[in-house]
Amino acid sequence: MTTQTIPVASKSVRELIAELADVEDQVRQLRTSQQSVDAPTQQALHPDLVGLLHREADIVASIRRTAATLRS
């Protein structure tokens, strides 16, 4: 599983939307939790999920900033 690390500020809205769709597809394909190694009876978030959700938030924030700039 790979996510692009190109700064979102340097991408067009079209590129951001395409990347957002890709990230969302990756999130849907991941198991959201896994058994904790330290406590097998507890569930822990999948480590890749956390990174994907942060990337998704960055992309959405950039799209919102761009939209606000275009409305100004």
Side-chain angles (χ1 to χ4, degrees):
M1 177 170 326
T2 61
T3 56
Q4 296 202 5
T5 56
I6 299 170
V8 292
S10 65
K11 293 185 174 187
S12 70
V13 172
R14 206 172 272 205
E15 291 170 319
L16 290 169
I17 292 170
E19 184 177 354
L20 181 60
D22 182 54
V23 168
E24 289 175 343
D25 288 344
Q26 291 178 51
V27 167
R28 276 191 293 277
Q29 292 175 6
L30 270 182
R31 288 182 35 192
T32 56
S33 63
Q34 60 186 18
Q35 279 192 331
S36 172
V37 174
D38 299 330
T41 59
Q42 294 182 353
Q43 296 291 311
L45 283 178
H46 192 291
D48 291 340
L49 179 63
V50 175
L52 287 168
L53 294 177
H54 283 292
R55 185 64 178 171
E56 182 179 48
D58 289 344
I59 295 167
V60 169
S62 184
I63 291 170
R64 287 182 177 153
R65 278 191 302 276
T66 303
T69 302
L70 292 175
R71 282 191 294 250
S72 299

